[in-house]
Amino acid sequence: MNINEAMEFISSFDRLGKPVTDLNRMIALLSLLGNPHKDLKCIHIAGTNGKGSVAQMCNEILIHAGYRVGMYTSPYMTHYSDRIRFNNDNIDLDILCEITEHIISVLDNVEYKSSFSQFEISTAIAFIYFKKMRCDVVVLETGIGGRLDCTNVINAPIISIITSISHDHNNILGSTLTEIASHKAGIIKKHSPCVLSAYNPDEVVDIVKSECELCHSLFVIPELTNIHLFRSDIFGSEFYYNGNSYSLKMIGRHQIINAISVIEAMKFVCDNGFAISYDDIYFGINNARVPARGEVLSEDPLIILDGAHNSAGMKSLTDIIKKSNKKQCIAIIGMVKDKNVRESISQIVPYVSDFICVEGFSPRAVSADDLVKVIKSFKKNAFSVYDIDLAVKEAVNLVNDDGMLVICGSLFLASVARKIFVE
């Protein structure tokens, strides 16, 4: 089997698969594959925004400490293989093909195989790979939700980390923060501690705290009063937390909130027999980079790529725009249909002078013309460009000497746009 055949098999599954009410389908699949997940020690991460950043910080810390570290994230940015990593290297394509071929043979006589989602198949591949690589620890990011997310088949993790929770995937997770938080809190296991990011709404805190009490699990929220901010700009942040200094290259104050969740989580990792020093934590937080999360693609002109795709993500992006101290901001924006488009756009509208609306980066993309209508309802300039390469060229021409360009609205758009600059 070659990589094209492997990807054809993986892509043959529906994005979401048949609806689930429990984890039995994933449990059955993994049982056929020898239950590779049961041999893994995991740091399990759920949340609406910040999962990828928290995962990367944990990953960098543990690698710097000398451990064999697997990391599973989504969606992929450049190639499918970058969602499954070992010590910062993408899964080897020959191994990916080998594992995929094994899964095909196992599923050959399974009547319900068409029920699986792409994410379930990918998760099974990841578990097999991490066992094969003899990982000391796996940094495991959920897909959507938590309680019914297929990653939630793992044994009690070393630590559960729940990041910022806000409205997203409402058609799946529910229309209220209480419903969404209940899904996310479902990753908490008995006697396994949980760190919840600071700045979450009270109803979210109440749900996560109650779940911890039911599971007899320690509940921790980092203390914001222990932060002393030294610097925060488009080049990163420097801050003190509990008397120790830290530095971040990822931009935005929300990354400081993510960082202190990781700092608290590492205490429990140490309690589980891992030797993690302050130097490891400092290095990991400072060295963490996540593509398309406040990523500076160019300094002259200033171009920032951010996969912000919901209201909370857009709000964090506005913090970055304000920190740039630029007098003009042009935005290339594209969104997908299952997001709260109007609410998300409302966050960024006051900080952008002109919007260029695009489509074609996803089958689920909102049409560029429909985005223009939404933006114009806020009395802002907006026009459609149907080719993303052309949109970038036009946007760069619009940026003046004291201006900037942001590309936002979808991680799928970010993946396409990033290739224009990076490749």
Side-chain angles (χ1 to χ4, degrees), residues 190-211:
K190 286 186 177 180
H191 308 293
S192 179
C194 173
V195 174
L196 173 67
S197 286
Y199 275 135
N200 269 297
D202 288 343
E203 58 263 49
V204 169
V205 175
D206 290 343
I207 288 292
V208 177
K209 186 177 180 181
S210 294
E211 190 75 26

Side-chain angles (χ1 to χ4, degrees), residues 116-330:
F116 291 109
S117 67
Q118 289 180 27
F119 190 69
E120 286 170 318
I121 298 299
S122 296
T123 303
I125 292 170
F127 285 149
I128 294 169
Y129 179 63
F130 296 144
K131 180 179 179 180
K132 180 181 181 68
M133 299 308 290
R134 297 178 289 107
C135 291
D136 297 311
V137 60
V138 171
V139 180
L140 185 65
E141 182 186 320
T142 61
I144 297 174
R147 192 176 301 278
L148 296 178
D149 188 85
C150 66
T151 64
N152 205 30
V153 296
I154 60 169
N155 297 328
I158 297 168
I159 179 77
S160 299
I161 306 174
I162 300 176
T163 62
S164 169
I165 293 179
S166 57
H167 288 281
D168 201 3
H169 300 292
N170 295 81
N171 57 321
I172 298 172
L173 303 180
S175 58
T176 68
L177 282 182
T178 299
E179 291 174 303
I180 295 167
S182 179
H183 278 280
K184 309 289 186 183
I187 69 167
I188 299 166
K189 304 286 195 303
K190 286 186 177 180
H191 308 293
S192 179
C194 173
V195 174
L196 173 67
S197 286
Y199 275 135
N200 269 297
D202 288 343
E203 58 263 49
V204 169
V205 175
D206 290 343
I207 288 292
V208 177
K209 186 177 180 181
S210 294
E211 190 75 26
C212 283
E213 289 171 352
L214 284 172
C215 293
H216 304 286
S217 301
L218 189 61
F219 173 63
V220 175
I221 299 180
E223 182 53 64
L224 291 173
T225 57
N226 292 340
I227 300 174
H228 174 69
L229 182 62
F230 179 68
R231 175 185 64 85
S232 183
D233 53 36
I234 61 164
F235 301 105
S237 303
E238 294 177 25
F239 65 98
Y240 288 88
Y241 182 66
N242 286 336
N244 291 319
S245 65
Y246 299 94
S247 177
L248 271 165
K249 291 295 190 301
M250 291 193 290
I251 59 180
R253 290 200 180 197
H254 59 289
Q255 296 294 4
I256 298 174
I257 301 303
N258 290 331
I260 63 174
S261 290
V262 172
I263 293 166
E264 291 294 337
M266 285 302 129
K267 295 176 183 177
F268 298 103
V269 176
C270 289
D271 289 344
N272 274 265
F274 291 83
I276 309 292
S277 68
Y278 161 74
D279 286 344
D280 295 327
I281 297 173
Y282 182 94
F283 176 90
I285 288 173
N286 186 58
N287 204 53
R289 307 282 191 283
V290 182
R293 270 74 163 190
E295 183 180 11
V296 178
L297 297 176
S298 166
E299 291 189 18
D300 186 22
L302 179 60
I303 302 174
I304 291 177
L305 180 67
D306 197 287
H309 54 271
N310 54 39
S311 179
M314 288 290 197
K315 188 173 182 179
S316 295
L317 177 57
T318 64
D319 179 55
I320 295 172
I321 295 171
K322 287 185 282 186
K323 279 185 171 56
S324 73
N325 292 319
K326 297 292 185 180
K327 294 180 180 177
Q328 176 211 39
C329 180
I330 306 295

